[in-house]
């Protein structure tokens, strides 16, 4: 199972978009406080559209609470400070995959990253770009994990309706 972890997210629209992505790919969304918004805000639900009630979302008071309640999981830390590219890990389909992203203004704190150097991953970018939008980053990495796992249980084909214009 895929787990998306947001460490202290600040923007409700990003979190709403990420929630919608989680519903589309069957992922659990974990939110580590403090949050920069309330979960009942209109902006978060607008971005998540009518999918928010289908989302498995869990909240934690801090990172230690998250670790404790999830039995100290193996976590891939998505950060611009990583040495490894996000497509490099195997992301086995027989294990829970946790991908953690930091808050929009500062990323994941270095005191956390120091313990996860070997499982830290990055999305390649041109050198003069600081970072991508958080919800875009989550979508990129989430679908890479799913690709590694063979998109099991996913609808793989669409169908045109052949409307006459």
């Amino acid at each position: 199972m895929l787990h998306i972890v947001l460490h202290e997210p600040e923007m409700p629209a990003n979190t709403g978009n990420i929630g919608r992505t989680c519903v589309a790919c069957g992922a659990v969304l974990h939110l580590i406080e403090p949050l920069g918004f309330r979960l009942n805000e209109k902006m978060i639900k607008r971005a998540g559209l009518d999918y928010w009630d289908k989302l498995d979302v869990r909240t934690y008071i801090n990172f230690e609470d998250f670790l404790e309640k999830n039995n100290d999981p193996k976590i891939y830390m998505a950060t611009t400070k990583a040495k490894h590219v996000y497509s490099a890990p195997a992301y086995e389909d027989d294990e829970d995959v946790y991908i953690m992203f930091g808050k929009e203004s500062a990323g994941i704190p270095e005191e956390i990253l120091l313990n996860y150097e070997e499982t830290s991953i990055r999305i390649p970018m041109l050198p003069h770009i600081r970072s991508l939008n958080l919800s875009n980053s989550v979508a990129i990495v989430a679908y890479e994990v799913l690709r590694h796992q063979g998109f099991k249980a996913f609808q793989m084909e669409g169908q045109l309706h052949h409307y006459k214009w």
Side-chain angles (χ1 to χ4, degrees):
M1 173 166 279
L2 178 59
H3 298 263
I4 300 299
V5 183
L6 302 182
H7 187 268
E8 301 179 3
E10 299 167 315
M11 299 180 183
N14 276 338
T15 302
N17 288 332
I18 291 164
R20 184 175 180 178
T21 297
C22 287
V23 171
C25 65
V28 177
L29 178 60
H30 302 264
L31 302 175
I32 299 174
E33 297 177 355
L35 309 179
F37 51 86
R38 290 184 309 266
L39 285 176
N40 62 356
E41 279 190 35
K42 188 186 328 181
M43 284 294 294
I44 196 168
K45 295 194 177 178
R46 179 180 297 150
L49 293 176
D50 55 347
Y51 297 101
W52 196 254
D53 63 327
K54 296 167 182 58
L55 176 63
D56 183 352
V57 61
R58 304 170 191 181
T59 59
Y60 308 89
I61 58 171
N62 55 37
F63 184 62
E64 291 74 24
D65 183 39
F66 164 77
L67 291 175
E68 182 180 303
K69 289 181 178 168
N70 290 282
N71 300 316
D72 200 21
K74 179 179 182 182
I75 309 169
Y76 296 92
M77 298 286 177
T79 173
T80 58
K81 298 171 182 169
K83 296 176 185 174
H84 308 290
V85 176
Y86 74 102
S87 56
Y91 304 120
E92 301 295 330
D93 63 354
D94 61 344
E95 67 180 0
D96 284 343
V97 176
Y98 289 80
I99 311 287
M100 188 163 115
F101 298 82
K103 63 183 169 183
E104 290 90 339
S105 65
I108 300 169
E110 284 203 20
E111 56 269 18
I112 293 175
L113 290 175
L114 288 172
N115 295 317
Y116 296 90
E117 191 170 353
E118 288 307 309
T119 58
S120 289
I121 55 174
R122 66 175 285 114
I123 299 169
M125 294 174 278
L126 292 173
H128 62 280
I129 301 299
R130 188 179 69 242
S131 65
L132 291 171
N133 172 275
L134 179 60
S135 62
N136 292 338
S137 297
V138 169
I140 289 167
V141 177
Y143 273 85
E144 179 66 11
V145 170
L146 297 171
R147 186 186 71 78
H148 276 253
Q149 296 177 343
F151 294 111
K152 293 187 173 94
F154 283 75
Q155 179 179 340
M156 297 300 288
E157 294 182 9
Q159 182 176 346
L160 293 172
H161 296 284
H162 301 288
Y163 292 116
K164 293 187 178 191
W165 303 101

